[in-house]
């Protein structure tokens, strides 16, 4: 009995000692010794991390380890598919803003003419509008930073002008030759994804969507509701040049066109189980005539939407074969403020068509394939536009559709061959057209007030006046004697559209361009 009592007294102390000894032994066994891992060890440091540590500790000169890490990650991304990317901290903010559909700033658009920042548009009811900024104002200084006297990049100017919501931007501006100070309180500035929404005729509406941001579905619904009030019965939905964005926004839009619980798209990957996205509610436009416009730059979410509507025979797809990006990316933050967008699955249309084209020959050949379409005639001839890779599907309306190479349109419309001309491409891509129209608008802004709508402007404004002034413009940098009649018409239309943009923003710009667009004309033929 006495022995048992002594054991009961010492038992808690013995257990405590064993526990502490076990913890110490486990810790010691897991420590590396002599450069080798001990028993039960878990070596979490990769070879890449070991190499970086050696460079940091032993290299002859000082090095930027963060930069080396970024380059190493980028090289790893290059060994994957073309759409898995590394985003350094300096690029991540802008990339996120682009998809968020807003940023924080003063609410102006600007351009640089003769090394001077010129305000070319003031967002209505935005911070700068409330502070009294006007088109034509020249920004000389922001707070203590001078913006004149040397060439600044667009990104540098954005860094000076943008800032946290609620902060102050004290602007020194030049207006009509006189300097004055304007203080602007920065705010959240929306970046619309719906460029234009208007009625082409009494029953046919048009919507132009430039990307799929967090706000795109809401903007789309506002546009649709406004058009329905104006008599919408048929719709031309323009996804030309739309590089994609958030897939869920495309799914929500498809839901407005498709009835029941129809499948819109599904995703699947080796490490990602099949996931279906279906319609969930009655749509705003399930029965009206629908035409979707696409081209070689329509990608990702644009292809998801176009593919679903084509598979279900809900819309006619018009234009040229789409880009062929059918990979799902998810963004993962890294410890230094950077991130990677990693491909985790593939998109498949309701019929099971993969949208993604092959990237097995490397990134360069993959990206150059779009240029190759120009040289092989695919953008000019319907026969060259057809890709038969053996992945053929038949829809319920007996249309033949293809998988694996983007979305093939039901109706092919070639690109205007005039845009192949290097001189015309250089003119449109350069700054002379914009510079000329900006100065023209400043001189004739009151004249533009006589037009009460873009359609009124399209009918009554004579672009000949713009052409006569442009051929005398010193900075035009083009041999006008080499311009043929077709090219002249295209330049005049572009000048007229750019001028409309100052009065009615992007909606005016597209309404003018669309007035003589063969793709739009083909869409109207199908509808009528």
């Amino acid at each position: 009995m006495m022995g048992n009592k002594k054991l009961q007294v010492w038992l808690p102390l013995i257990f405590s000692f064993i526990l502490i000894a076990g913890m110490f032994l486990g810790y010691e066994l897991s420590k590396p010794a002599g450069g080798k891992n001990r028993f039960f060890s878990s070596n979490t440091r990769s070879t890449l991390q070991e190499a970086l540590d050696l460079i940091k500790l032993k290299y002859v000169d000082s090095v930027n380890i963060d930069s080396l890490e970024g380059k190493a990650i980028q090289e790893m991304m290059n060994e994957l598919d073309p759409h898995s990317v590394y985003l350094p901290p300096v690029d991540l903010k802008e990339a996120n803003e682009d998809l968020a559909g807003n940023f924080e700033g003063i609410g102006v658009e600007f351009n640089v003419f003769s090394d001077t920042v010129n305000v070319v548009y003031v967002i209505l009811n935005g911070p700068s509008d409330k502070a009294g900024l006007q088109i034509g104002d020249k920004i000389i200084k922001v707070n203590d930073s001078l913006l004149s006297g040397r060439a600044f990049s667009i990104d540098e100017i954005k860094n000076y002008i943008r800032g946290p919501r609620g902060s102050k931007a004290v602007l020194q501006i030049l207006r009509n030759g006189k300097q004055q100070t304007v203080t602007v309180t920065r705010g959240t500035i929306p970046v619309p994804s719906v460029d234009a929404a208007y009625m082409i005729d009494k029953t046919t509406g048009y919507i132009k969507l430039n990307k799929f941001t967090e706000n795109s579905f809401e903007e789309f619904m506002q546009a649709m509701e406004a058009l329905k009030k104006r008599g919408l019965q048929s719709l031309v939905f323009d996804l030309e040049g739309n590089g994609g964005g958030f897939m869920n926004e495309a799914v929500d839009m498809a839901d407005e066109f498709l009835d029941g619980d129809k499948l819109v798209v599904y995703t699947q990957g080796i490490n990602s189980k099949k996931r279906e996205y279906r319609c969930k509610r009655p749509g705003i436009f399930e029965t009206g005539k629908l035409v979707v416009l696409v081209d070689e730059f329509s990608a990702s979410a644009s292809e998801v939407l176009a593919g679903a509507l084509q598979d279900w025979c809900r819309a006619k797809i018009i234009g040229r074969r789409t880009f062929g990006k059918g990979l799902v990316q998810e963004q993962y933050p890294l410890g230094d403020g950077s991130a990677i967008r990693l491909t985790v699955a593939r998109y498949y249309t309701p019929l099971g068509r993969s949208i993604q084209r092959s990237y097995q020959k490397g990134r360069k050949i993959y990206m150059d394939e779009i240029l190759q379409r120009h040289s092989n005639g695919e953008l000019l001839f319907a026969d060259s536009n057809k890709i038969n890779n053996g992945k053929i599907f038949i829809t319920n309306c007996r249309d033949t559709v293809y998988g694996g190479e983007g979305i093939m349109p039901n109706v092919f419309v070639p690109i205007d061959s005039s845009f192949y001309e290097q001189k015309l491409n250089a003119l449109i891509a350069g700054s002379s057209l914009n510079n000329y129209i900006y100065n023209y608008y400043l001189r004739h802004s009151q004249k533009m007030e006589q037009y009460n709508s873009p359609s009124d402007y399209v009918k009554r404004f004579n672009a000949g006046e713009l052409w006569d002034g442009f051929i005398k413009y010193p900075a035009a940098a083009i041999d006008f004697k080499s311009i043929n009649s077709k090219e002249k018409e295209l330049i005049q239309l572009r000048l007229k559209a750019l001028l409309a943009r100052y009065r009615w923003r992007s909606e005016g710009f597209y309404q003018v361009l669309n007035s003589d667009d063969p793709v739009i004309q083909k869409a109207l033929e199908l509808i009528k």
Side-chain angles (χ1 to χ4, degrees), residues 2 74 80 108 110 118 141 149 174 203 214 226 259 288 328 449:
M2 185 66 67
Q74 185 60 64
L80 305 178
V108 299
F110 64 87
N118 287 249
K141 196 175 183 181
L174 193 64
T203 59
E214 290 178 353
D259 58 14
V328 184
E449 297 296 325

Side-chain angles (χ1 to χ4, degrees), residues 104-106 127 143 159-170 183-188:
E104 293 182 348
I106 65 173
N143 295 330
N159 288 336
Y160 286 122
I161 292 177
R162 293 184 180 183
R165 181 178 55 184
S167 62
K168 303 287 185 183
V170 181
T183 300
V184 182
T185 302
R186 295 182 178 98
T188 300

Side-chain angles (χ1 to χ4, degrees), residues 188-248:
T188 300
I189 312 301
V191 181
S193 57
V194 172
D195 278 334
Y198 66 91
M199 296 296 291
I200 297 176
D201 56 37
K202 290 183 179 180
T203 59
T204 307
Y206 171 88
I207 293 178
K208 170 72 174 179
L209 190 76
N210 62 56
K211 65 173 72 73
F212 290 84
T213 70
E214 290 178 353
N215 306 320
S216 291
F217 177 66
E218 182 180 351
E219 292 179 43
F220 166 79
M221 288 301 291
Q222 290 172 353
M224 286 295 294
E225 288 165 359
L227 293 180
K228 290 202 77 172
K229 289 178 181 177
R230 297 175 62 184
L232 177 72
Q233 295 177 24
S234 305
L235 178 66
V236 178
F237 194 13
D238 191 348
L239 298 178
E240 293 174 301
N242 185 318
F246 289 114
M247 183 196 68
N248 62 295

Side-chain angles (χ1 to χ4, degrees), residues 3-13:
N4 287 339
K5 288 183 179 180
K6 288 183 178 179
L7 182 61
Q8 289 175 2
V9 172
W10 286 99
L11 199 58
L13 187 60

Side-chain angles (χ1 to χ4, degrees), residues 8-23:
Q8 289 175 2
V9 172
W10 286 99
L11 199 58
L13 187 60
I14 292 170
F15 281 151
S16 298
F17 176 78
I18 292 172
L19 181 62
I20 293 170
M23 291 172 63

Side-chain angles (χ1 to χ4, degrees), residues 267-275 328 344-348:
T267 63
Q268 194 168 11
I270 291 177
N271 297 308
S272 178
K273 292 182 180 179
K274 182 179 179 180
R275 182 176 180 183
V328 184
V344 297
R346 294 176 183 268
Y347 292 124
Y348 295 89

Side-chain angles (χ1 to χ4, degrees), residues 107-128:
V108 299
E109 288 184 18
F110 64 87
N111 211 333
V112 179
F113 305 125
S114 303
D115 292 340
T116 303
V117 179
N118 287 249
V119 175
V120 298
Y121 185 70
V122 181
I123 295 175
L124 186 65
N125 297 322
S128 291

Side-chain angles (χ1 to χ4, degrees), residues 391-407:
K391 300 173 184 176
I392 298 174
F393 301 79
I394 307 297
T395 68
N396 288 335
C397 50
R398 310 310 299 169
D399 284 339
T400 300
V401 292
Y402 304 88
E405 297 289 341
I407 300 299

